[in-house]
Each structure stands twice: as C-alpha cells, then as structure tokens.
Amino acid sequence: MTDTGKFNIFSMTGKMKILHFSWFAFFITFVVWFNFAPLLQAVKESLGLTTAEIKTLLILNVAFTIPARVIIGMLTDKYGPRIVYSALLAICSIPCFVFAFADSFVQAAIARFALGLIGAGFVVGIRLVSEWFPHNELGTAEGIYGGWGNFGSAAAAFTLPTVAVMFGGEDGWRYAMAITGAMSLIFSYIFYINVTDTPKGATYFKPKNLGAMEVTSKGDFFLLLLMKLPMYGALALLAWKLSPSGVSMLSSEMVNGIYVLLTLIYCYEISQAWKVNKTVFKEPVPEIHQYKFKQVAILNVLYFATFGSELAVVSMLPLFFSDTFELTPVMAGMVASAYAFMNLMSRPGGGWISDKFGRKPTLLILTAGLAAGYFLMGQVDGSWPVWLAVAAAMACSFFVQSGEGAVFATVPLIKRRMTGQIAGMTGAYGNVGAVCYLTILSLVDYSTFFYVIAATAVIGFVTLLMMEEPSGQIAEINEDGSVTMIDVAKS
C-alpha cells in the first residue's frame, strides 16, 4: 500500500515529507563525498602533496563506492531504509572528520577511501521512495530524489571555498570539511526521528536471503555471474592505477595481492549465488514469482553510460574548457558547472517523461540523444565560440541526467523486495563507468574520450531493444504466506 495523496511538491506531510527528507539526506551525502575537489589546491599546499598524490586521492574517493553500493543495497532490503540511511550518515562523519584533521598523505588516503562508503547513500533512498509512491508517480519522485540530491556536488563546489576563506588561514579548508561532517552527523538523527520505512499499514517486503541476489531461471543465474565481473574489473583497474605502472602508490606485490583478493571474493560470490539460487536448477520458479534479470542487466549498461559519463565529465570539464579556450581556472570552473546545474530539472524531467510516456520509449529516445550529444562534444575545438560549446555541454547533460532519471524510474518496478539490491548493482555500474571513462581519458585526447562515451551509448541503445516495458503487477509474499500484488503499470 502506497500513500495515494496528492503530489504537491510544497507539502511537508505524508509521502512528500518522506521525499523531502530523502533527497536532503542524499544531498548531504554528495556534499560530503565531493567536499574534496573544490578545496583541492588548499589541501595540496597544506599537506605538501604532489600532483600524483592528489590524483590518487581523487581515485580513492570513488573506489570503495563500487562494492559499497551493492552491500548497502542488500542491507537496505534486509533492515529498512530508515535505520540504514541514519547509520550511514552518522558513521561516514567519522572519516570526514579524520580527513579534515589529517596531517599526512597516508591519513588522508585512508579517510578518502573510507568516504567512498557515503557514495552508497543514493541506493537507500531509491527503495524508500518506491515504498511511498504509486507507480504512476514513481519516476517523477525518484527523479526529484536523484536530481536534487545529486546537486550536493555542485553545492559543495560553490559554497565550500567561500566557507574556507571565511575561516581564513591555511586551515580554512579543515573547518569547511569538518562542517560537512557535522551536517552529516546531525542530520542522521533528524532523519531517524522523522522517517518511517512504509506508510502506515503497508508491508515492507524483505528478500529471502541476504547472501546474494535471487534469480528465477538458469540462464539468469549465469547472466548474474557475468554482470558481476565488470565491478571486479573496475576495482582491478583502480589497483593498476595505484601500481608502479600508474601513480606508484602501491608496490607490485601489494597490487598482485589485491588481484588475488578480488579473485577470491568473486569465487565467494559465486558460491553465495549458488547457495541462494541452486533450487532453480532443480525445479522451475512459479510464473507468478518470476522476474527477468536481463531487465537489471540492461539498466546496468545504461547507468554505466549515463551516470558513469556524468561522474567522469564533471571531473574533467573545467580542465577541458581551460585547455580548449584558454580560460582562467575560475572561469572554466563556472562554465563547466552549467553541466551539473542541469541536474535540478533534467533528472526529475526524465522520471516525469517516463511516468507519462512509458519506460522503454523514454529510455530509447534519451539514449539516442546521449549518443548524439557526446558525438557533438567530440567536435568541440578552439574554433568554436565559448557560448556554443557551453550550449553543447548543457544539451548533452540534459540527455545524460534525464537518462539517469528514466533508469531509476524503472529500477523499483522489477521486484519490490529486491529494489535495494537492484538499485545497488545498477548504481555501482555508474561508478564502474566513471572508472573506465577516466582511465580512457588518461590515455587519449578529449575528442576521442567523448567519442568513446558516444559509442557506449550506442551499445546501450542496442541492448535496450531487448528490454520489456514493465507491465501489470508483481507478486510479493507476506510473512503469513499470502500474496500481495503490486501495480507496476496501468493495467
């Protein structure tokens, strides 16, 4: 049972209250997660770091988010969003404070790696919002949650340098960072006392097993194992970047140890997946309880291209504008921020269009626009007027962020009790995309980088043709054995 009251963005009761608390929790996670980039220069001077060490901290910032999104998704399904989001906000304030008062590269590196955990907060709200909103408003609600929360990274970029200057001195950045940690800690309590997992009288459906994602056919079991591989590949790629072949932060022995550890963890995941799903090899799952894992796999590929490219492009766009048009760093940063600003409207817009015109048609159109947008960005050079280049970046970002909204308008309609796990895996693919694209950027020029993203969007478009529009209802079993049918589309 969802809250069926009116969708009024200015309301602070019922489902709208939950939406506002959710996006603000997500907003704070992004302020904390991205509090480093705008203060990067001050941190570098204060701690006496090299450029290679700064780049390493940027890599470490996103590394842990890949497994964290999967783990947090599972915990959300098991224990509920209220307790998981509150705990995450409180726990992550600790590495935030550690980073703020670090006095060596090693301390900063450990704290930055741990802060990757807060990047998993996004997944929690996806499940919470899906519990409160009916299917015909879900895309819009998830879009507002994602878009307004995502704006935390832009808010950090705009406000933190000013806060650091207000405190003054070479320790100004430390106070700015510590304030974001305090915000996270205080809001964890506010969130906990104001939010419930479901509307009154509704059931919070939990997965049967926490160990691995459930699938409902033999083919889906093998597809699940295949879709896990890129996540390990991205972590191995990060390890390689920290090796003597990259920034030389870790020795060859340590990196080889990481490769062995990743292999062992993957083998453990295979055994857990088998434990949870071996029954599908003995007897078929009743049709009423089946879902198609290929739907999850397609959304993973699309989020790789959308959010993956957004994370990568936001990181490199200021440099791209300053190199291409010889702008000052401040001017380049302001021009590049236009890309992130689009989040406020684009992501809710993508969700709203999905609610009105269907999930698959919306994703097809937005993915085609994404490919065209990045192809256009690949054409940008110094002969273009700056305003036209900015317009191209904003048009491209509209398709990128609307695409993200449309992906997460679909995620909660696949299998309700596993929404956290599905959102965790799809969300992790966004980070996998960012790691891959940023690695490619370190090897090629700007225009090739944009063309590579356009090519992956074309691959996403082709896989989308195999997707099925969510229809009818999904079945979930209550604790007493009775079955509840949940609408996922107009019947």
Side-chain angles (χ1 to χ4, degrees), residues 18-19 22-23 26 69 72-73 76-77 81 85 120-133 138-139 141-147 191 197 204 303 347 404-413 416 418-427:
I18 297 297
L19 179 58
S22 299
W23 77 254
F26 179 34
R69 283 190 162 182
I72 292 295
T76 302
D77 286 342
Y85 228 152
F122 167 66
V123 173
V124 189
I126 291 293
R127 173 83 200 242
L128 181 58
V129 172
S130 75
E131 292 291 333
W132 281 83
F133 285 83
L138 191 57
E142 297 284 18
I144 289 169
Y145 166 70
F191 187 86
D197 289 335
Y204 187 80
Y303 211 61
R347 202 157 175 160
E404 293 162 11
V407 166
F408 275 94
T410 314
V411 162
L413 303 178
R416 173 61 65 84
M418 290 161 52
T419 296
Q421 290 181 67
I422 295 168
M425 191 176 195
T426 302

Side-chain angles (χ1 to χ4, degrees), residues 57 60-61 63-65 108-117:
L57 292 179
L60 288 171
N61 205 36
F64 189 38
T65 312
I110 292 166
R112 222 55 245 181
F113 179 73
L115 270 171
L117 177 62

Side-chain angles (χ1 to χ4, degrees), residues 212 221 225 265-277:
F221 176 78
L225 298 186
I265 295 170
Y266 180 65
C267 292
Y268 174 73
E269 276 225 68
I270 293 174
S271 72
Q272 287 297 102
W274 171 253
K275 208 152 89 180
V276 169
N277 295 299

Side-chain angles (χ1 to χ4, degrees), residues 232-242 259 262 432 435-437 439:
Y232 288 91
L235 291 168
L237 194 58
L238 284 168
W240 173 78
K241 286 198 76 149
L242 299 177
Y259 295 153
L262 289 173
V432 171
V435 170
C436 294
Y437 292 138
T439 304

